[in-house]
Amino acid sequence: MPLALHHIVIDAHDLPALARFWAAALRWRILSEREREVVIGPDAHAPVGICFMPVTDRKTVKNRLHLDLTSAAEDRDAEIARLLALGARRADVGQSGEESWTVLADPEGNEFCVVRPKTTLTG
């Protein structure tokens, strides 16, 4: 069997809180919750989930890897507002202001983007 992506792992200071944020953001659910590991996904049989693992230190620098989220073009602004209401915040990682994406950070400061749907991209 070839390799397949199993989980995206996010280090977290408060595992349950960060897992709840991402589960709500993605409209997923918590699949497994242990003291040192919380896993979320759309369902137990999904090919990929997100696993939260504990760290004691707080995030201090920009992510080297981030998630890009998308929605229908007409829902984008409402989804950004929903994410902000869940606890995300706008983040500045050096954008010019001309980008077609919006940079946000989760409650622990991990940056992620809300991008245009692929159907709106040209050539």
Side-chain angles (χ1 to χ4, degrees), residues 43-112:
D43 64 65
H45 304 290
V48 177
I50 299 177
C51 178
F52 299 87
M53 302 292 292
V55 293
T56 56
D57 53 330
R58 299 215 180 257
K59 182 179 173 302
T60 58
V61 298
K62 180 182 173 292
N63 295 2
R64 298 277 310 261
L65 174 78
H66 70 266
L67 303 179
D68 280 350
L69 308 180
T70 194
S71 67
E74 62 273 11
D75 298 333
R76 188 172 180 276
D77 290 341
E79 284 299 305
I80 290 170
R82 187 179 69 83
L83 292 165
L84 293 168
L86 288 171
R89 61 178 172 75
R90 294 186 183 275
D92 182 354
V93 294
Q95 305 93 291
S96 68
E98 301 299 317
E99 292 80 10
S100 61
W101 60 87
T102 299
V103 182
L104 301 175
D106 70 19
E108 291 199 12
N110 300 299
E111 298 91 6
F112 64 97

Side-chain angles (χ1 to χ4, degrees), residues 29-44:
R29 59 190 181 110
I30 294 176
L31 301 175
S32 170
E33 188 167 356
R34 298 182 179 94
E35 181 182 343
R36 299 189 50 77
E37 176 188 89
V38 180
V39 177
I40 67 169
D43 64 65

Side-chain angles (χ1 to χ4, degrees), residues 1-6 47-48:
M1 178 176 130
L3 288 176
L5 184 60
H6 180 68
V48 177

